[in-house]
Amino acid sequence: MKGLSILLLGFLLILTTVSLAQTGQIQLDVKKKTLSNGMRILVLENHAAPTFSAIIRFNTGSVDEHPGITGSSHLLEHMLFKGTKIIGTTNYEAEVPIMAKIDSLAHLLRAEQVKLLSPLNPQDSGRLKELKQEMANLQATEKKYVVKDELWDTYLKEGGTSLNASTSNDGTQYYVSLPRNCLELWAFFESDRLANLVLREFYSERDVVMEERRLTTENSPRRSLDEALSATVFWASPYCWSVVGWMSDLQTVMREDVEAYFRSHYSPANAVAVIVGDVDANQLFKICDKYFSKIPSQPAPPPVVTRDAPQKGERRTEIEYDANPMVYVGWPIPQIGHPDLPALEVAANILSDGRTSRFYKNIREKKLGSASASSDETRLPSAFTCTMTPFGQHTTAELEEAVYAEIDRLKTEKVSEWELEKVRNQKDASFIRSLESNRGLAFRISSSEAMTGDWRNFLDYREALKKVTADDIIRVVDKYLTKKNRSVAYIVKSTSNSPAKRAEKEIGR
Amino acid sequence: MKTIIFAMTLFLISAGVAFGQTETAKSPGSKIVESLTKEEISLTIPRVGVDVDRVALDNGLVIYLYENHKLPLFNIQTLIRCGSVYDASEKDGLSDLVGTVMRTGGTKTITGDSLSMLMEYIGGNLEANIGGEKGTVSLSVLSKDADLGLKLFVDLLRNPAFPQDKLDLAKIDIKNNIKRRNDSPGSIVNRYFYNMLYGDYPSGRVLEWASVKNITAQELADYHRRFFTPNNIMIGIYGDFSKTEILAKLRALLADWPQAITALPAPPEVEFKYHPGVYQIRKDLNQSSIMIGQLGIKRNNPDRYAVRLLNYILGGGSFTSRITSRVRSDEGLAYHASSNFNTDSRDYGVFDAECQTKSASTYTATSIIMEEINNIRNDGVTSEEFEGARNAVINSSVFLFDTPGKIINRLMSLEFDGLPPDFYNDYLNEFRRITLADIKSVAQKYLKPNQMTFVIVGNPDAFEKPLDEFGPVTNIELTEPVTE
């Protein structure tokens, strides 16, 4: 067995007790190659087990969408598992005319659905029903040629695990862990779905995504509150809608809209492939060159330029929901690369990481409730957020007050050297733990490479976190976490579903 | 670099076989997939006594050691035979509280707060948790902090203090969870489903404030004295250390821990009963959460391997499986539609099929699931499905032992669960021995569609059709949990 291809330089020499300076000397032997079409391939060899983890990340997420097609990055994430001209079908040529019919019918259906949106239009629910039936018939015809979930099925048969894809505001990633001998299979499947994607079964998959929205957002109090907070913090920025998109857009977005979005945003130069595991870098580069270089290069997707104007006062949003109260607060902060971000992240860590954190000591141990803070690196200016859950009879107002008191303390008193050193040591230790997982490393490398153009930035950022001073924290907290800049979204319990309320409604009818 | 010789080497199935004889039409791309040549991978199964050491101290404490210097980390994983199966019904919540307060309350020589300060300062983790049938105490520190970590770990394991203030704090957390248990449909449907199937057996109990509030610090200490004895504990250590040095240290810290003589009582037994019927729990939602199922099998059942393949094909193999394929992919009725058949439980585990679908397709989604359960009982599965499921299990076994943590945990767990040390050598062969006919036979033997329990959280007024064809319907009103 060969060792992990991670160089541990002189680490044995530094066994002192306090600072973990040695982790700064851990180097990741990542090799990078850019194909002729601009696609970047990064590899980190680790021969500990006969497996590898692979990820393809596109620098495309819900921020690249616009009203009318919100949710399309995520919808495409689903569609990329539906096959290509040669995968997932027994006869693509025979499918083409059926898909054309489905598309024109979908336009008629959409026209009816659009009518329903305005009271000025004449309504004809019979027509809608008729069209839906016709659509169901056509979809049944299409199914005759479909080989269900062939890529997924094949990966599983070959022993693939952790197979999935995920979409965020900032990016979309497709990942799988496979036995070592499946490298070429991976390159074939992944390149084929970029070169020859067919958006088959689009409209039934759109229904699946609507169910996903109901499950993960509408019927989850936390995610409903998340969505409300984003729409309160961001008025203009595309962070204002959630990754899954608005329901009305999901109901009306067309196959060709999503296909056009794919053509403009899923270019090879906008993609990063990262492989970590039991592979030979040179062989991997050869295989990737053979499969991915075939994809033609294309212009970069349009930049996202919309930004929010400076906030002019506190914003508050109340949600009535059949759940116990919670409150989320957000403050705008700058985007990735800004020098204030490391200090904001360290402030968040000091506030809420672990049992020695300030929120834990002063809010949870005082039995007011639980609270947590987070700050993130994102493609566009985003938000520093605090989420709070009151205990017992305590109110969201009390929790807010307690959290603001802790934030104010950060503006007036220097944090202790102990707290800073604790955060530094934790960053180092968690970095070393992250080296255990091929998959975890692949995620870190790919997001850094995709968002900043250089995978090494995540290492530099970690070093920057360790250089944050007590004065930096006073400065950034004072600058960003102000009353004027904050947005507050909170749940008040609606009792409309209680048996007594329902009885009332019954009587009222 | 040490050389490891593996006595047992298993070869995984090569690609060609997976796409053997099939009657269904194939895609043009599948020919390219078949044409890819692939080397064989041999699966190396780590063995106790060869790759991993096992040492038993005189007091009965069992230690597993796996030295691995790739990363400067020192990790300990501990298994303690205890858990909520031993909790009396009126003391429900006791095990959970012991796990939490053990860590937050610290020891007789170091307070929980000081322990947190030390561990967080060195970027380490020291955690304790007690579940249904086992407790765990785990440590992870950088190897330079191994001595400190080890001392704190042993102190916590042997001498937890269970102070009143941390007990009160842990109770507040539980109380808050009880108060919020009706906020999300997922927690409601699970709670009622398991309660229907298990009744007052610990897996079915609904944790109530009335039992939690009366649990005392003394009861926590008594629990620790009863279960945390060296002959009831296994410790697994893995990472960057020297085996001989660490063993000497462990002996110094643990050998004087007296063995306790009391044998544990047998845990209560699950009463195998069916609870047919439809239980509708009203909540004003636009989507129904549906769980359908029954009690299944115990892990010592030799049919467990066939049952696992059955479930993979029915609804456990994600998109490849029938329920997911029909409810989600064909009909677009759900984001999540699956089945689970627990084959790892000491006593009877559960079979369940579940999905969440908009209110107006509740009946339709439920009937599709039932249709698939009936189909697999009546017609069995195709050879293509069978080979696919079997290959997936066998080929993915390469991930069973791919990190030091998994190696130590899997080998320790075998002994803890009373399974033979060569379990994994035979494991893949068990799947190879199964035949197509076995799948149909276990489907008929263990899936009882007429005896199943249906639990649905949602708004019955908006269902497209009543659910009474699946059994007598009982309506349940959610009540505000009592937290006073």
Side-chain angles (χ1 to χ4, degrees), chain A residues 459-494:
Chain A
L459 300 176
D460 296 344
Y461 181 71
R462 196 174 55 91
E463 290 309 310
L465 286 171
K466 289 162 67 180
K467 292 196 182 94
V468 168
T469 66
D471 287 328
D472 291 336
I473 291 180
I474 290 181
R475 186 179 56 79
V476 299
V477 173
D478 196 51
K479 181 172 169 188
Y480 297 102
L481 307 190
T482 64
K483 176 173 188 295
K484 183 178 165 190
N485 273 344
R486 76 188 174 217
S487 293
V488 184
Y490 56 99
I491 283 181
V492 293
K493 187 161 184 166
S494 97

Side-chain angles (χ1 to χ4, degrees), chain A residues 78-317:
Chain A
H78 284 234
M79 295 315 298
L80 257 73
F81 287 94
K82 289 289 184 183
T84 68
K85 289 173 188 164
I86 56 170
I87 292 291
T89 179
T90 54
N91 187 345
Y92 171 65
E93 281 71 31
E95 277 184 289
V96 172
I98 305 170
M99 279 191 275
K101 277 188 200 156
I102 288 177
D103 285 342
S104 27
L105 192 62
H107 274 276
L108 299 177
L109 257 168
R110 181 187 152 104
E112 292 301 314
Q113 274 160 333
V114 170
K115 274 189 206 165
L116 294 177
L117 297 175
S118 165
L120 295 174
N121 295 315
Q123 315 270 309
D124 181 359
S125 61
R127 173 78 177 136
L128 193 63
K129 211 176 155 189
E130 199 180 287
L131 290 170
K132 278 187 177 166
Q133 186 52 51
E134 218 176 306
M135 179 62 108
N137 295 343
L138 274 175
Q139 285 172 332
T141 320
E142 184 189 23
K143 257 182 219 142
K144 283 193 286 193
Y145 301 100
V146 173
V147 179
K148 281 279 177 194
D149 298 292
E150 187 174 4
L151 172 144
W152 191 283
D153 202 25
T154 309
Y155 273 150
L156 287 189
K157 278 177 187 161
E158 295 296 334
T161 60
S162 307
L163 167 57
N164 216 331
S166 66
T167 307
S168 70
N169 304 99
D170 289 341
T172 316
Q173 46 217 343
Y174 298 82
Y175 47 91
V176 61
S177 298
L178 287 160
R180 167 180 71 198
N181 59 7
C182 294
L183 196 57
E184 194 161 1
L185 176 74
W186 170 81
F188 165 64
F189 270 149
E190 301 299 328
S191 60
D192 186 47
R193 63 174 161 177
L194 295 187
N196 297 313
L197 184 70
V198 174
L199 282 76
R200 59 173 59 85
E201 298 185 295
F202 176 81
Y203 293 100
S204 62
E205 199 60 29
R206 210 180 59 172
D207 290 340
V208 170
V209 171
M210 285 188 246
E211 291 294 355
E212 186 174 357
R213 183 183 155 82
R214 289 184 193 100
L215 175 70
T216 59
T217 304
E218 293 173 9
N219 293 316
S220 155
R222 288 184 179 281
R223 296 285 290 276
S224 295
L225 199 50
D226 256 341
E227 190 171 53
L229 181 70
S230 298
T232 309
V233 176
F234 305 109
W235 288 359
S237 162
Y239 285 138
C240 116
W241 56 82
S242 59
V243 172
V244 76
W246 299 118
M247 191 58 115
S248 49
D249 285 353
L250 293 175
Q251 279 162 344
T252 48
V253 72
M254 299 274 90
R255 193 171 81 107
E256 64 259 35
D257 299 333
V258 175
E259 189 156 5
Y261 183 74
F262 176 75
R263 302 268 164 249
S264 58
H265 285 80
Y266 289 67
S267 59
N270 207 30
V272 176
V274 178
I275 287 89
V276 181
D278 193 13
V279 297
D280 173 80
N282 289 328
Q283 192 206 356
L284 171 81
F285 287 142
K286 257 183 230 156
I287 289 176
C288 286
D289 196 29
K290 175 177 164 192
Y291 285 94
F292 290 102
S293 292
K294 286 188 286 205
I295 306 164
S297 58
Q298 61 182 85
V304 183
V305 294
T306 309
R307 297 287 191 277
D308 274 280
Q311 189 163 333
K312 294 192 171 158
E314 187 191 45
R315 303 167 182 171
R316 300 186 75 84
T317 299

Side-chain angles (χ1 to χ4, degrees), chain B residues 294-306:
Chain B
Q294 56 168 89
L295 291 179
I297 63 168
K298 300 179 184 181
R299 74 167 169 239
N300 65 5
N301 188 323
D303 287 334
R304 65 183 289 190
Y305 304 97

Side-chain angles (χ1 to χ4, degrees), chain B residues 297-428:
Chain B
I297 63 168
K298 300 179 184 181
R299 74 167 169 239
N300 65 5
N301 188 323
D303 287 334
R304 65 183 289 190
Y305 304 97
V307 167
R308 189 158 152 212
L309 294 188
L310 163 73
N311 182 60
Y312 185 96
I313 296 165
L314 177 63
S318 64
F319 292 111
T320 304
S321 64
R322 293 179 176 190
I323 289 175
T324 315
S325 189
R326 279 205 61 203
V327 177
R328 173 173 166 157
S329 177
D330 283 357
E331 307 292 336
L333 293 180
Y335 168 63
H336 165 230
S338 70
S339 71
N340 312 286
F341 207 135
N342 181 354
T343 57
D344 292 325
S345 179
R346 185 188 45 79
D347 209 325
Y348 291 104
V350 157
F351 164 79
D352 89 277
E354 56 189 65
C355 78
Q356 300 85 20
T357 188
K358 61 186 179 297
S359 308
S361 46
T362 306
Y363 167 84
T364 313
T366 307
S367 43
I368 293 175
I369 290 174
M370 294 316 290
E371 206 177 300
E372 289 305 328
I373 292 173
N374 282 309
N375 285 347
I376 213 162
R377 291 184 83 248
N378 297 335
D379 309 327
V381 301
T382 67
S383 60
E384 198 184 4
E385 287 173 314
F386 175 65
E387 289 301 333
R390 195 155 71 164
N391 290 351
V393 171
I394 292 175
N395 288 332
S396 65
S397 60
V398 71
F399 291 96
L400 285 173
F401 296 99
D402 63 346
T403 63
K406 281 192 199 170
I407 290 172
I408 209 88
N409 274 313
R410 286 194 190 280
L411 294 181
M412 261 171 83
S413 295
L414 289 180
E415 182 176 346
F416 189 81
D417 291 340
L419 295 166
D422 62 350
F423 174 84
Y424 284 103
N425 294 343
D426 218 32
Y427 175 77
L428 297 184

Side-chain angles (χ1 to χ4, degrees), chain A residues 20 86 148 150 152-153 157-158 180-181 211 218 322 325 355-356 364-365 421 425 433 502, chain B residues 27 29 38-39 120-121 127 140 144 166 173 180 282 286-287 318 320 329-330 358 395 477:
Chain A
L20 307 178
I86 56 170
K148 281 279 177 194
E150 187 174 4
W152 191 283
D153 202 25
K157 278 177 187 161
E158 295 296 334
R180 167 180 71 198
N181 59 7
E211 291 294 355
E218 293 173 9
D322 182 14
R355 296 185 182 95
T356 64
R364 192 178 184 127
E365 288 198 336
E421 188 66 19
N425 292 345
R433 284 195 192 93
R502 276 202 310 277
Chain B
S27 73
K38 300 196 331 186
E39 47 139 359
E120 291 185 15
Y121 186 70
E127 294 299 329
S140 171
K144 72 176 183 59
K166 299 298 182 192
D173 270 343
R180 291 173 182 270
R282 180 184 285 274
N286 61 17
Q287 188 183 55
S318 64
T320 304
S329 177
D330 283 357
K358 61 186 179 297
N395 288 332
E477 290 290 348

Side-chain angles (χ1 to χ4, degrees), chain A residues 291-356:
Chain A
Y291 285 94
F292 290 102
S293 292
K294 286 188 286 205
I295 306 164
S297 58
Q298 61 182 85
V304 183
V305 294
T306 309
R307 297 287 191 277
D308 274 280
Q311 189 163 333
K312 294 192 171 158
E314 187 191 45
R315 303 167 182 171
R316 300 186 75 84
T317 299
E318 178 172 291
I319 310 279
E320 287 185 29
Y321 202 97
D322 182 14
N324 285 286
M326 283 186 295
V327 53
Y328 289 7
V329 183
W331 294 263
I333 56 168
Q335 71 194 56
I336 190 164
H338 194 283
D340 288 346
L341 288 186
L344 284 164
E345 183 169 331
V346 173
N349 294 149
I350 289 173
L351 286 173
S352 80
D353 276 15
R355 296 185 182 95
T356 64

